[in-house]
Amino acid sequence: MIDDTQLDGFHEECGVFGILGNDDAAALTALGLHALQHRGQEACGIVTHDGVNFYSHKALGMVDETFNRSDILTKLKGHIGIGHNRYSTTGEPSLRNVQPLHGDLDDGGFALAHNGNLTNALTLRGELMKKGALFQSTSDTEIFMHNMIRTDTTAPIHDRIIQTLSNIEGAFALVCIKNNQLIGVRDPMGIRPLVLGKLGDAYILTSESCALDIIGATYVREIKAGEIVVIDKNGLQSYQLPNTAPKKFCVFEYIYFSRPDSHYGEGADSKSVYQTRFRIGEKLAAESPCEGADIIVPVPDSGVPAALGFAEASNIPFGYGIIRNHYVGRTFIQPTDKIRHLGVKLKHNANKPLIEGKKIVLVDDSIVRGTTSRKIVDMVRAAGAAEVHMRIAAPPTRHSCFYGVDTPDESKLMASKYSVEEIAKEIDVDSLAYISMGGLYEAIKDKRTNYCDACFSGDYPVKLTDHLNRHEKKAISSLARGA
Amino acid sequence: MIDDTQLDGFHEECGVFGILGNDDAAALTALGLHALQHRGQEACGIVTHDGVNFYSHKALGMVDETFNRSDILTKLKGHIGIGHNRYSTTGEPSLRNVQPLHGDLDDGGFALAHNGNLTNALTLRGELMKKGALFQSTSDTEIFMHNMIRTDTTAPIHDRIIQTLSNIEGAFALVCIKNNQLIGVRDPMGIRPLVLGKLGDAYILTSESCALDIIGATYVREIKAGEIVVIDKNGLQSYQLPNTAPKKFCVFEYIYFSRPDSHYGEGADSKSVYQTRFRIGEKLAAESPCEGADIIVPVPDSGVPAALGFAEASNIPFGYGIIRNHYVGRTFIQPTDKIRHLGVKLKHNANKPLIEGKKIVLVDDSIVRGTTSRKIVDMVRAAGAAEVHMRIAAPPTRHSCFYGVDTPDESKLMASKYSVEEIAKEIDVDSLAYISMGGLYEAIKDKRTNYCDACFSGDYPVKLTDHLNRHEKKAISSLARGA
Amino acid sequence: MIDDTQLDGFHEECGVFGILGNDDAAALTALGLHALQHRGQEACGIVTHDGVNFYSHKALGMVDETFNRSDILTKLKGHIGIGHNRYSTTGEPSLRNVQPLHGDLDDGGFALAHNGNLTNALTLRGELMKKGALFQSTSDTEIFMHNMIRTDTTAPIHDRIIQTLSNIEGAFALVCIKNNQLIGVRDPMGIRPLVLGKLGDAYILTSESCALDIIGATYVREIKAGEIVVIDKNGLQSYQLPNTAPKKFCVFEYIYFSRPDSHYGEGADSKSVYQTRFRIGEKLAAESPCEGADIIVPVPDSGVPAALGFAEASNIPFGYGIIRNHYVGRTFIQPTDKIRHLGVKLKHNANKPLIEGKKIVLVDDSIVRGTTSRKIVDMVRAAGAAEVHMRIAAPPTRHSCFYGVDTPDESKLMASKYSVEEIAKEIDVDSLAYISMGGLYEAIKDKRTNYCDACFSGDYPVKLTDHLNRHEKKAISSLARGA
Amino acid sequence: MIDDTQLDGFHEECGVFGILGNDDAAALTALGLHALQHRGQEACGIVTHDGVNFYSHKALGMVDETFNRSDILTKLKGHIGIGHNRYSTTGEPSLRNVQPLHGDLDDGGFALAHNGNLTNALTLRGELMKKGALFQSTSDTEIFMHNMIRTDTTAPIHDRIIQTLSNIEGAFALVCIKNNQLIGVRDPMGIRPLVLGKLGDAYILTSESCALDIIGATYVREIKAGEIVVIDKNGLQSYQLPNTAPKKFCVFEYIYFSRPDSHYGEGADSKSVYQTRFRIGEKLAAESPCEGADIIVPVPDSGVPAALGFAEASNIPFGYGIIRNHYVGRTFIQPTDKIRHLGVKLKHNANKPLIEGKKIVLVDDSIVRGTTSRKIVDMVRAAGAAEVHMRIAAPPTRHSCFYGVDTPDESKLMASKYSVEEIAKEIDVDSLAYISMGGLYEAIKDKRTNYCDACFSGDYPVKLTDHLNRHEKKAISSLARGA
């Protein structure tokens, strides 16, 4: 019996970047990945192409550790580049799963980076194996590669992309290099984000607009749901996947993933992430005020804009009652048993004078397992908060995401197990409220039908083939670790 | 002719930590240094003592990179530990200058870590050399070691400390290990900070109170100006340096150095750093309001509390018009000439929707050379800000610090060269104002005479022997780099 | 137009090792690879299997650098292990080509390590690509993987191996893991070596017998030409490839590759490598004596046994007239232009007192490009040798090897361009002689028909499909480097 | 109570190199250290001087690992350089003890590298501490530094060197940099080696002549016992220590330390190390022949020349019955308990066909603890040797060296505890013989009075002050490890 998580890196949120038309493609891609670092800190990689050869560098670690040497960037020659940031999952990381992937096809090299998750990966993996595909990683991303090699090499690239994706279910934003072209694709519902920019004559594709800002590039537009863009020296051609469906953009980009200085959504509907979070805070204050509170305290950093909105709408002062230490690396001192009970606070510290004896409102973006929330509450209580109320800038997270976000199994989601009242008791707050689904979309200023909010509602827009068939699958023999 | 800066590490702001009475001294010191990481990111080190031997580990890099392996901490045995974070100076770092220093004296080992700067280091170095001292580093901290070895070994330790410091001028907060004792010292005016805490039976000395919080220790009090504390298993004894003078605590700890969740100042006068900054912002708004401004924008992270105070006092909305990328490491992509002109924004990005078309007030903690301020202003103007006003939560920085803060030579300080009006022109803002000296101390709620504010006023409380004699000094032969 | 060498790692000599039946499979494999280190120093890897999962660790660098940490070996769990040492080629090394390879097949994982070279790799690679194979490395070894996945999964493993190899031309010694079995295969003529050993109940496959000695294992026998051995807990089953041909063992194993303490050849014909080289020296002395020579000097280390034989047969003293520095690593100081003319001697030094004024005979195993020989001769002449005669313990190397040995293109082989007399002039020796083909086989004490000596004779026993078709091939798009 | 070995690095054999007069001083020093790598593999370092500044790079590890990057060598500017290779002792290595040492003196920098050992280091260390010296390492070499600083800075450098050494007892070969001069010193009896060479106009000082050969430099002469050479751009001046005594060169350089291609001894008496070892073998054969032996087998590598001499004198064939694996690094797989009993042979393997059923004579340079000899004998017996006789190319090692060679305490020396017959039984050989003291000096072709052979005879030419006073010393507080 298989656990889906055996497919290493099955659930993840990542960042992708691609550029065509600048001889510093590698450096610009590295800068783009740096701006997208919040989307994945486990590993990163860049593949470039100079019209003849492909060049690759991938490593575990962050962008500024991996690409800080000019000799590395110098070796990544070419005017086309794609890059990928990988999210840190709990399992042991493996270099073999680091993207972009690159392979030799009969008609030349093909490189691809993917943000998202396929919902029929196990099914397709089994079918492809039967057809002779050799899987050398445990990532679902390899399926795109094997599908691509099975396409008609005489067809134009957009047709081959359509063929590649014809049996793939799930959510994906792809950037690829083939035949001197940069290709970008967004899944039929556009669940995972991808935007288009320009820097002089060069075209850029990236998960978020903030990666355009870092290099001074101009935002052009969102890639549409189901859109394929094929970019070469002659410009950009746009095509549509035949199974393009009404768009269902991921609502969680607004709530947590995207950097606040990015904006998200198509055309005039593209909304500032910061301002949307601020409005969620305002709505939350209207829906679930906290009368008589002394101070609105964000759980930093993601709760800040909503807390500002809540404070403004409530006319209650906003203050940093919790201070975050930004120097927390990925590995650190494992406290011995002797000191573990001290409750070492590596990441957050209470700002005691601000909260001591006060009735405080903590504003956070979401509650997942509830363990972090409980620790935060304990900390502010220990610092002397008289009352602790919590307001969450999202509806309760009751369902797992199967479209590329690393959420735990539903059975581990606090809101799946408990009522709001019970959660309040579990995390020891005097009151707890989430924004309503209606309030959320009012704050977003868009219709709910444009979004996937399965993590809140359980309404999964894309079939969960693997999940539904989980007992019928055979285990895959995975390398526990490889280099 | 010598440039003071040839003494590598001459001007620096650092963090120190010491503990006695816990068998996990190394791990607790590492955690303390982690909480003090903002005070120095270039290098760090720990020396421990188990009553018989000393154990040391030092390295270039941050605390969570250097002390993330349990085998390293395990080898640092003992119930006493001291640690040091070193500030990143512009010169090439050298392992030989990383602290704590350790040496063998006739009556056993001596280890010392120092935050501060000696103002007669060159003079003393020359005298000590004449007396036979072998200088193996280029750090002024080595002078303490050579002085200590020249003390009367039959005297009690506090007398030896007094002898050690008798000819030393400058600012220093020291933590030392000698003869199974942890010793803490603060210079006669207490310019550099040092606080006392307890964790169960263990005593702790640290530059800031936030390093007590991380391990759940209790704040006891500030070490007094000129105080020597000698701690052993029998408890703490307090002594005073004979040349103890009226206290002159560094006012810049309030403005910039200390973490906002620390508090600073003696007894009932110990003030929350966060709240003090907030009040500075309030005063600044009162003194130099910006009528009709749409939004108060902090330069993150250090400008945030003052901006919140400014916003509240002005009744103008506060908003993150600039977003900071916290993933910026110490080394990164060196942009090639081809892309340098793009104005790559590694650390800050404008949050365009918040400031476009708006009259904004930028609030920052200080202006040093002015180059960063100009870049920030250019960035918000490029993002469409209609008017840009700047308010500084400190008086103009017109003078160099010789007491342990890495400020540039006076000739490079913008406020030393230009009037406020000229600075406004240089950094291209529509208006500029600094808080007044009077306003600053009202916000601090303490008398000015308790503080050193030489960087603003030029009133140096401790003689600048080396600086005054600079043309009489001989060059020292320094190792350009060593391992 | 393609250069074969674009296929990174096309020509190489490597070492393989496999073991089944010992719970310390990883540690024993590491030790075996250590004994085979002389066969490849660029990279190494181990894959183990515990009946359920596969575990892998691969890295650039030597065995004692890569596998010196117990935590790495501890993670390589299981009772079956295979390992590989990779030869250092001139091109930039790439982690993607480091073996063993591992992939997921429909019926479970498959791991393989290969010593040798395929002579129709480009042809097969092209065909496989047309059939949908995704090549993720540039190594010809990946072809085995793609062929295996195309076999009948219901067939027994030896049939699947036969199917896998049915269209493969070239030389190969393979060790593989599939379905809890360790499989060893030697090409139809047995060109590349593979021997069988036992350690208690555990079976071992290795390129050379010296890897048995290091762990105290017993030599059982050579794997036969075209033999497949399938080993599981029930013991060993032997099968034959249908295209098994008369054996053609590589004669160069005797001359250079194998460690002198290994023995090579089937059954009673297995000869000590050391003694064979000694006899070659004796024959060489008989065929091409050097009357009146004062001393026989080996070019260390590979020329030593032949020089000893030459000395004994000539009754002339043997002496180390050249001393080798064994501390030469893979990378070293790149002499600046200013010191390059000094003729820095990193690896060899003349032992002047032994050769000054003497008539010396240098004995070496072979001359390839001739540049090293010329330097050696210059060095001994500079040290005062009166006459320098050279004797080579192999026939002239006139042809490239296409079966797994990293020889340069024929056009760069000195013996291909020049007569023996011309070579003598080029390398500046007073006389030069090679052993005759007849003499070589007398020394080996075996019939020439049992050996491949294409590098001397040009008689290639296996078709050179790629080489013959070289102008018809398309370039492959290779990653210049990847991680 | 103190164990001398607590002074980390107290007993060691090292290599030193110095050059003045070549702008590639750093690269040439690195090459010289590479040639001297056999004298110490634990750590290495280089300090250079350009007339103004000193530059340093030191690290744990071998020369080709530490100095293989051109950027490191480029930073080591200057026309003067000194370097040091440190021997791998059993204790944990510490970067603080890696040489050359460098310090700032009142009249400028001073750098020093030392091969040898002081016999009154503890005494002097105690006295210096009382005089105010701060010891920052645990190496006896630091004493030179502290003595130098106490000299009369107005005196010429050779006088200051004389003052520095006036109270120092022991053995030392020093290379130093002071005031644009390269200084070389050899102790009053010249126990530790130092030779002079020239490369164009540049002067070179080095432990062995082989370091001249690697860079094409010319051998000039041995530095004399008690000689001080002061080299600057005007040439070389020679002085003598006032306590110069009749020379007592270390005889063990002939037996083991020096590379065989070096020569050793003054003037016409400078002998080829290789040929001396060969003659020792001849004498040994004459004194203790082994009638009827089939083969003379060296214990590689150090036993080879003596074994060749033994074989030639005995007219018995010489053969490599033991093969050495040269790829053994400093750290390797720690065999688990499960495989430890296998008797893993990382370094040596028996060459079975050569020794099976044979009466063999093993020739080795010395027996220290006897454990290695026993393992070697067991190995050749397991390979089938019928009789195993051992001949040692040195007299029995009965006494510890206190002059810079890392020998164990006398109580651990096999020849100190047992008679020759008993040793033969302990190491399980059929016969055992050492060369006689008379035979040794006949082979060396020099009078015994010119040499220190205390390790054989117990006749210590230099007083062992620390050793004799060992119970009176106080423990020093040493850092167990430091970085």
Side-chain angles (χ1 to χ4, degrees), chain B residues 27-182:
Chain B
L28 293 168
T29 303
L31 289 164
L33 293 180
H34 173 62
L36 300 172
Q37 186 72 81
H38 60 288
R39 297 183 76 85
Q41 292 105 50
E42 182 192 88
C44 56
I46 294 177
V47 170
T48 60
H49 183 54
D50 62 5
V52 179
N53 288 304
F54 285 81
Y55 307 90
S56 164
H57 189 74
K58 304 194 273 187
L60 301 176
M62 291 207 277
V63 178
D64 70 343
E65 295 162 2
T66 304
F67 294 104
N68 61 1
R69 284 166 44 197
S70 61
D71 61 333
I72 288 173
L73 289 173
T74 303
K75 284 175 185 167
L76 296 171
K77 289 185 278 193
H79 63 294
I80 316 181
I82 60 173
H84 189 267
N85 280 337
R86 184 178 158 86
Y87 184 84
S88 178
T89 57
T90 49
E92 266 193 300
S94 168
L95 198 48
R96 70 178 55 222
N97 288 337
V98 179
Q99 302 190 31
L101 298 187
H102 169 273
D104 268 329
L105 277 55
D106 193 31
D107 66 328
F110 179 57
L112 178 144
H114 165 223
N115 172 25
N117 188 47
L118 308 192
T119 52
N120 65 339
L122 287 174
T123 309
L124 294 179
R125 190 176 169 107
E127 291 173 10
L128 281 160
M129 280 172 168
K130 284 198 173 42
K131 289 183 196 156
L134 175 72
F135 278 83
Q136 299 191 54
S137 77
T138 51
S139 159
D140 61 350
T141 302
E142 199 177 341
I143 289 166
F144 294 104
M145 307 295 289
H146 290 289
N147 270 5
M148 169 55 92
I149 207 171
R150 280 159 179 74
T151 59
D152 174 6
T153 57
T154 63
I157 185 67
H158 66 276
D159 274 353
R160 297 180 68 185
I161 295 285
I162 290 168
Q163 292 168 36
T164 295
L165 302 175
S166 61
N167 63 352
I168 284 179
E169 299 165 8
F172 47 84
L174 306 178
V175 290
C176 323
I177 306 177
K178 186 90 192 80
N179 298 343
N180 252 333
Q181 296 162 313
L182 172 68

Side-chain angles (χ1 to χ4, degrees), chain C residues 23-24 27-28 30-31 34-35 37-38 41 62-64 67-68 73 199 210 213-216 259-261 272 274-275 301 304 308 312 317-320 323 325-333 336 338-339 342-346 349-351 353-354, chain D residues 23-24 27-28 30-31 34-35 37-38 41 62-64 67-68 73 199 210 213-216 259-261 272 274-275 301 304 308 312 317-320 323 325-333 336 338-339 342-346 349-351 353-354:
Chain C
D23 287 343
D24 275 313
L28 294 167
L31 290 165
H34 173 63
Q37 187 72 81
H38 59 290
Q41 291 104 50
M62 291 207 278
V63 178
D64 71 345
F67 293 105
N68 62 0
L73 288 173
L199 176 65
C210 66
D213 296 341
I214 195 174
I215 52 173
R259 237 171 69 170
D261 49 337
S272 155
Y274 179 94
Q275 289 181 317
D301 290 343
V304 171
L308 284 165
E312 184 142 315
F318 164 96
Y320 276 93
I323 301 295
N325 183 344
H326 283 106
Y327 296 105
V328 179
R330 277 151 309 143
T331 56
F332 199 59
I333 305 158
T336 62
K338 273 179 279 180
I339 63 171
L342 300 174
V344 166
K345 292 176 283 287
L346 286 181
N349 190 21
N351 190 359
L354 225 63
Chain D
D23 287 343
D24 275 313
L28 293 167
L31 289 164
H34 174 62
Q37 186 73 79
H38 60 289
Q41 291 105 50
M62 292 206 278
V63 178
D64 70 345
F67 294 104
N68 61 0
L73 289 173
L199 176 65
C210 66
D213 296 341
I214 195 174
I215 54 173
R259 238 171 69 169
D261 49 336
S272 155
Y274 179 94
Q275 289 182 317
D301 288 344
V304 170
L308 284 165
E312 185 141 315
F318 165 96
Y320 278 92
I323 301 295
N325 183 345
H326 282 105
Y327 295 106
V328 179
R330 277 151 307 143
T331 56
F332 198 57
I333 305 159
T336 63
K338 273 181 278 182
I339 63 171
L342 299 174
V344 166
K345 291 177 285 285
L346 287 180
N349 190 20
N351 191 1
L354 226 62

Side-chain angles (χ1 to χ4, degrees), chain A residues 480, chain C residues 19-29 46-56 72-82 177 180 202, chain D residues 338-339:
Chain C
I19 184 166
L20 180 144
N22 188 301
D23 287 343
D24 275 313
L28 294 167
T29 302
I46 294 178
V47 170
T48 60
H49 184 55
D50 62 4
V52 178
N53 288 304
F54 285 80
Y55 306 91
S56 164
I72 289 173
L73 288 173
T74 303
K75 284 175 184 165
L76 296 170
K77 288 185 277 192
H79 64 294
I80 317 182
I82 61 173
I177 306 176
N180 253 332
Chain D
K338 273 181 278 182
I339 63 171

